[in-house]
Amino acid sequence: MNWFVSAGNRPPAPVRLFCLPYAGGGASVFRRWQEGLGPDVEVLPVQLPGRENRIAEDPHFDIADVAAAIASRADRPYAIYGHSMGGRVAFEVVRELRRTGAPLPLRLYVGAARAPHVTAASFFDGLSRVDDAELLRRLADGGGLPVEVLDHPDLVELLLPQLRADFGRVDGYRYLPGEPLPVPIVAFSGVRDRAAAGEHSAAWAEHTAAGFTLHEIDGGHFFLLDQLAELLAAIRADLTAALMV
């Protein structure tokens, strides 16, 4: 199965960036990242099952399978970015990579994501337990679903299994304590984020023994959509510095 969406044939880049989407998102969320980061970074969005070109598959997935897919492409320095749900998925992927002895990333980037041990209520909590209408309404209110999607019942019907699976993962997530990662963590927090407050992003510092940085982005929960240039500039500068160490 194809876990990655590539930007096409390009000259080899010195570093790869694997990207994991928010709940309900697919690899297309990152379609502008390759152009924004430039030729020195190869962007490889992870296409989780049950969405976009994998829409026919069961949308549930195992962390071990995602980790194995990334490890299979870890033939050069790499980093991982995860947004919202994708941040906690990325964290668990790195823990699985450490467990299996696979090469670890230069950086773990997490955007709009509460640290794994944080249990404080979030704007998007509990969505796996509400009916379809309430699920769609709250997603649209929070900016996680374009309102025009609701005008296309066939598209909504396709999206609902994926949304249910993802928010089931969000609601069912339980952090199991472990040793901090030997990987630097860089967290990005939207100053107007209603789902992941700044202090909940800052709490990622507890999960690394290799250095932590917090960047505030002038946006809400989905700043990767409307403040992309600011986000990519910070990632590009940090990755460049990491490669020089």
Side-chain angles (χ1 to χ4, degrees):
M1 60 185 66
N2 187 6
W3 282 92
F4 306 106
V5 175
S6 171
N9 293 327
R10 307 174 62 90
V15 63
R16 284 186 166 132
L17 179 64
F18 298 96
C19 301
L20 289 155
Y22 48 81
S28 65
V29 167
F30 304 102
R31 62 185 178 278
R32 296 163 54 200
W33 283 46
Q34 184 63 71
E35 180 182 2
L37 286 171
D40 291 336
V41 180
E42 180 185 3
V43 178
L44 283 176
V46 177
Q47 189 70 287
L48 298 172
R51 58 206 80 202
E52 298 177 351
N53 64 315
R54 300 182 67 182
I55 192 70
E57 299 178 40
D58 184 338
H60 299 85
F61 60 90
D62 292 326
I63 292 293
D65 292 337
V66 181
I70 289 175
S72 73
R73 302 294 294 271
D75 60 349
R76 68 191 70 176
Y78 74 96
I80 302 176
Y81 178 90
H83 197 86
S84 194
M85 177 195 79
R88 285 183 169 179
V89 170
F91 170 72
E92 294 296 345
V93 163
V94 177
R95 294 219 292 183
E96 176 68 10
L97 291 168
R98 175 174 62 179
R99 188 188 70 78
T100 60
L104 296 178
L106 295 172
R107 293 286 192 274
L108 171 58
Y109 297 112
V110 291
R114 293 173 294 169
H117 66 283
V118 171
T119 57
S122 162
F123 181 79
F124 292 117
D125 283 352
L127 288 182
S128 67
R129 298 185 291 272
V130 300
D131 62 28
D132 291 349
E134 177 70 3
L135 168 62
L136 295 170
R137 184 191 65 79
R138 285 177 56 185
L139 275 181
D141 288 349
L145 188 70
V147 292
E148 55 268 23
V149 169
L150 302 180
D151 295 329
H152 300 277
D154 291 344
L155 179 56
V156 169
E157 187 175 352
L158 282 174
L159 287 175
L160 276 170
Q162 170 196 333
L163 292 168
R164 288 275 175 211
D166 283 355
F167 284 106
R169 177 178 291 274
V170 171
D171 289 338
Y173 179 80
R174 298 293 181 270
Y175 168 65
L176 297 177
E179 289 296 315
L181 295 175
V183 174
I185 296 178
V186 180
F188 297 92
S189 176
V191 296
R192 293 183 298 280
D193 191 344
R194 293 189 289 169
E199 62 266 28
H200 300 155
S201 294
W204 280 97
E206 298 183 24
H207 297 281
T208 174
F212 174 75
T213 306
L214 175 64
H215 291 276
E216 288 192 337
I217 301 289
D218 185 19
H221 190 66
F222 296 98
F223 55 75
L224 83 168
L225 302 178
D226 53 20
Q227 298 294 336
L228 182 59
E230 182 181 353
L231 174 61
L232 294 186
I235 291 175
R236 185 168 55 245
D238 186 78
L239 262 183
T240 300
L243 286 170
M244 296 175 65
V245 174

